[in-house]
Amino acid sequence: MTYRPLIVGNWKMNGTRAMLAEARAIDRGAARHPGVRVAVAPPFTLIQSMAENAETMTVGGQDCHAAAGGAYTGDVAAAMLADAGGTFVILGHSERRAMHAETNEQVRAKAEAALTAGLEVIICVGETEAQRDAGEAEAVVCAQLDGSLPGGEGVAARITVAYEPVWAIGTGRVPSVADVGTMHRAIRARLVQMFGAEGAGISILYGGSVNAANASELLAAEEVGGALIGGASLQAESFLAIVLAASGASDE
Ligand code: PGA
């Protein structure tokens, strides 16, 4: 099977139109690495412009509402993301779970809405430092998978899981390659339990302080199908260095 790692930039609440030049540079760089799937999730306000200008990379959102529309001030529906040119949405990021008290049930409902709107879905899971110290990391992550992933026919082909230990996000700290491999193996086993043979094909990304220096070894860890990048995705140079590292792991 052709292996095409997926490298996703999560711009979080960063970026005004001045950043569109950076996005274009990322897109041009992505064209040089056909063996890597490159995607960026900018703030909602930039999705349409970025999607209109993108030739190679895909563009998506960082959240959506579970409802198709209605009286939900400040929220954005999945169909609106698709209408703006988005092709995917990141759901259940730990910052949403922590700062907006998102539950597994809500993440699952959002994922179902996103699939209905024709989007691909990247669902984030990951333990806190206290949970890891207590030896609960795998149990926490498996419970998040059980609660947040939608089920049903053909769904496995349209979802991606991102394992992001909360303590590694934006901190410069990363788990050992062995710990990443152990967790990704546990996630794979759970996905196969949940989806049968189709679960074997779901990409599992690693996220949390990935940068140009550590990308190669993290991407080489067992069952790692790509990476979700925060800080290092904001500059084309640092993001493309990670894309380059991923191209070494692909069949390119
Ligand atoms: P980071 O963020 O790369 O800045 O650690 C990753 C994420 O939150 O997706």
Side-chain angles (χ1 to χ4, degrees):
M1 201 174 92
T2 310
Y3 170 57
R4 285 182 80 212
L6 173 62
I7 304 296
V8 184
N10 171 13
W11 280 14
K12 309 193 178 183
M13 199 171 72
N14 298 292
T16 57
R17 284 181 298 164
M19 286 277 288
L20 290 173
E22 215 64 36
R24 278 193 293 275
I26 290 172
D27 188 48
R28 281 195 301 275
R32 293 195 293 274
H33 298 289
V36 182
R37 293 176 289 157
V38 177
V40 174
F44 292 133
T45 49
L46 294 182
I47 290 176
Q48 183 171 353
S49 312
M50 272 177 64
E52 278 171 2
N53 287 303
E55 291 179 1
T56 303
M57 68 180 187
T58 55
V59 180
Q62 302 168 17
D63 181 42
C64 69
H65 198 277
Y72 302 101
T73 302
D75 282 311
V76 171
M80 295 170 182
L81 294 180
D83 183 54
T87 60
F88 71 93
V89 61
I90 298 170
L91 294 172
H93 189 282
S94 66
E95 285 153 15
R96 303 279 327 165
R97 291 179 187 265
M99 297 173 200
H100 296 268
E102 279 189 13
T103 63
N104 287 330
E105 291 69 25
Q106 286 167 332
V107 174
R108 184 187 164 118
K110 289 176 178 208
E112 284 165 353
L115 292 169
T116 301
L119 299 175
E120 310 253 328
V121 175
I122 300 174
I123 295 177
C124 304
V125 295
E127 81 286 356
T128 63
E129 184 157 37
Q131 289 164 334
R132 175 157 286 265
D133 290 346
E136 296 166 356
E138 276 185 32
V140 165
V141 166
C142 284
Q144 288 174 332
L145 292 171
D146 291 347
S148 320
L149 265 52
E153 190 83 357
V155 163
R158 297 173 56 207
I159 59 177
T160 295
V161 170
Y163 168 57
E164 300 203 299
V166 178
W167 51 272
I169 294 176
T171 59
R173 294 167 58 206
V174 290
S176 68
V177 171
D179 283 349
V180 171
T182 303
M183 183 60 85
H184 279 233
R185 271 201 314 277
I187 293 172
R188 174 68 67 216
R190 196 58 151 221
L191 293 176
V192 169
Q193 260 175 29
M194 296 172 82
F195 294 98
E198 288 198 325
I202 296 176
S203 290
I204 310 171
L205 312 182
Y206 168 77
S209 296
V210 178
N211 57 39
N214 63 21
S216 292
E217 65 168 7
L218 288 166
L219 288 164
E222 237 178 301
E223 296 285 5
V224 172
L228 182 53
I229 323 286
S233 72
L234 293 170
Q235 272 97 38
E237 193 183 351
S238 49
F239 190 53
L240 290 173
I242 296 168
V243 172
L244 177 66
S247 73
S250 79
D251 301 332
E252 184 170 303

